[in-house]
Amino acid sequence: MSLRKAIFWVHLAVGVTAGVVILMLAVTGVILTYEAQLNRWALRDYRANPPGPGAAPLGLDELITRVTGGQPADAVTSVALHRDPLEPAVVELDGGATVFVDRFTGNRLGDGNTRTRRFLRSVMYWHRWFALEGEYRIIGRTVVAVANLGFLFLIVSGVYLWWPSIRSRATWRQALWFRRRLKGRARDFNWHSVIGFWSALPLAIIVFSGATISYQWAADLVHRMAGDTPPFQQSPRPRRSDARDNPSAAPEPTAPLVELQTLITRAGVETPGWRTLTIDLPDSIHDPVVVAADRGNGRQPSKSEDLLFDRATGELVERAGYPTFTPGFKIRRWLRFAHTGEVYGVVGQSIAGVVSLGVAVMVWTGLAMSWRRFFGS
């Protein structure tokens, strides 16, 4: 048996075995193409109505006070503010709960658990682990991860099998473009080959990035290829001070702490063009306050940065986040959002969605050709 024929039979076997799972990933991927935009649209009723012309949003400290209703401020762990004050603040509470808050009144608007967002969340759970619950979730994750690896093999072997053995203009034209008036197996083969070729590069990125999410060895491979040493670098965050575990280790500050609104304002000055500022409140007043500044859509790592401020003085003590990451971790962060195309905004999302639709067609045509090969008709 020739090498080409051996690869063909393995390609066919993997395709038939993993086809149903890959089809599920493709269909759910299409549905999730514009997930971020749909999630924002689902919160359209949360936009604020300013109390009057020229009204200013509440300062961050006052906002937190109103959200907690007079309870200790450490009940809030983080607050995300959009540049547009009509957009609600996203407040994370101790315990993991999330509430959306009117920035002009401090009123809680809800937890954002709308029908649209619940539907998209359920689709995401199907995409990741067949929406299985409890101990069965790990089984779903494993099946999806293994099928994704099989899909990566199908992409590589498919390009090899697609490559024309005869180098002529007519052969290349037939391999690259859809042909009209074809029926049955010839039509399926043409659609399968053409879609596979034009989708190969974005698909390879999407599928390989999925492998780095599922498998530590794949993530480590990225770092080795980039010249890093695994295990990969974690997102830098200030280390917890000894004072949190041992209050006597450091004295309480004698001067009043700088207001959080002042830190947010300084973070905005340090990152012109910001779209979202997220402040993480540390457990100890001796730890720096981290403000994550994002100049993109929230899924473009190169447009994000972490600013660390001293709570006692309000001074910027460190810049962290993406600009300080090692090459390997930068690539991994890029891969994470290249998986959905969001790293390139709406254009990238659209490409990912079209490619996912193409995968559904390829699975269908591949299974149809396999059926005809074994059962005729």
Side-chain angles (χ1 to χ4, degrees):
M1 182 182 294
S2 66
L3 175 62
R4 187 180 186 87
K5 183 172 289 188
I7 292 177
F8 165 78
W9 282 108
V10 177
H11 181 94
L12 186 148
V14 173
V16 170
T17 303
V20 174
V21 180
I22 295 173
L23 180 62
M24 181 276 293
L25 293 174
V27 172
T28 53
V30 171
I31 297 173
L32 294 172
T33 298
Y34 300 111
E35 178 188 11
Q37 289 84 349
L38 289 172
N39 275 325
R40 284 197 296 271
W41 175 82
L43 299 176
R44 61 195 181 281
D45 294 335
Y46 284 13
R47 282 179 64 84
N49 257 329
L58 297 171
L60 182 56
D61 303 85
E62 176 64 18
L63 182 75
I64 291 176
T65 299
R66 295 197 183 187
V67 169
T68 58
Q71 297 298 319
D74 61 4
V76 172
T77 59
S78 73
V79 181
L81 303 176
H82 196 276
R83 193 177 192 94
D84 180 1
L86 300 184
E87 294 291 337
V90 184
V91 179
E92 296 281 346
L93 302 176
D94 196 17
T98 300
V99 293
F100 293 82
V101 179
D102 187 312
R103 291 181 59 187
F104 294 91
T105 65
N107 293 334
R108 298 191 183 199
L109 303 173
D111 60 3
N113 193 28
T114 65
R115 182 180 301 178
T116 300
R117 290 164 71 91
R118 286 196 302 271
F119 169 73
L120 292 173
R121 188 162 55 244
S122 67
V123 173
M124 180 189 66
Y125 290 163
W126 268 94
H127 188 81
R128 292 182 176 179
W129 52 70
F130 286 99
L132 296 173
E133 297 294 338
E135 61 184 8
Y136 297 104
R137 181 174 294 184
I138 187 64
I139 298 175
R141 281 185 182 274
T142 302
V143 171
V144 169
V146 172
N148 185 69
L149 281 184
F151 194 13
L152 185 59
F153 168 78
L154 291 176
I155 295 169
V156 176
S157 60
V159 172
Y160 173 80
L161 295 171
W162 170 91
W163 200 266
S165 56
I166 301 176
R167 310 292 196 274
S168 70
R169 182 176 297 180
T171 304
W172 281 104
R173 185 168 59 249
Q174 291 180 7
L176 290 172
W177 306 110
F178 293 108
R179 297 162 61 192
R180 298 181 180 180
R181 292 185 290 276
L182 294 178
K183 296 182 180 180
R185 184 181 182 281
R187 178 202 58 207
D188 292 342
F189 179 77
N190 178 246
W191 287 9
H192 193 84
S193 300
V194 173
I195 294 174
F197 172 77
W198 291 109
S199 303
L201 181 58
L203 262 184
I205 294 173
I206 291 171
V207 176
F208 179 71
S209 62
T212 64
I213 295 171
S214 299
Y215 293 105
Q216 185 61 52
W217 61 261
D220 291 346
L221 177 62
V222 171
H223 288 271
R224 290 192 178 96
M225 293 175 65
D228 296 348
T229 302
F232 61 84
Q233 171 189 358
Q234 298 289 343
S235 178
R237 277 291 187 270
R239 290 181 297 178
R240 296 172 178 174
S241 67
D242 294 336
R244 199 186 78 150
D245 299 321
N246 181 15
S248 62
E252 293 294 322
T254 55
L257 298 175
V258 174
E259 291 188 342
L260 297 176
Q261 180 59 42
T262 300
L263 303 184
I264 280 286
T265 302
R266 291 180 180 175
V269 172
E270 291 288 341
T271 53
W274 66 271
R275 296 178 64 179
T276 306
L277 295 175
T278 303
I279 185 167
D280 288 338
L281 306 182
D283 295 315
S284 169
I285 58 175
H286 301 284
D287 290 332
V289 175
V290 181
V291 180
D294 191 282
R295 294 177 285 105
N297 59 16
R299 290 164 172 79
Q300 298 169 297
S302 62
K303 296 184 179 182
S304 65
E305 184 179 12
D306 290 343
L307 307 176
L308 279 61
F309 292 93
D310 187 305
R311 184 70 193 277
T313 64
E315 293 188 7
L316 176 65
V317 295
E318 186 181 352
R319 289 180 179 268
Y322 185 85
T324 65
F325 290 169
T326 63
F329 195 71
K330 285 183 177 180
I331 295 172
R332 286 202 64 241
R333 293 292 293 167
W334 177 85
L335 283 172
R336 167 61 186 86
F337 297 108
H339 185 74
T340 58
E342 292 170 298
V343 72
Y344 293 118
V346 175
V347 173
Q349 290 175 270
S350 301
I351 292 174
V354 170
V355 166
S356 296
L357 184 61
V359 171
V361 176
M362 283 195 293
V363 171
W364 177 262
T365 54
L367 293 177
M369 286 189 291
S370 299
W371 179 271
R372 290 190 180 96
R373 172 176 291 274
F374 294 112
F375 302 103
S377 73

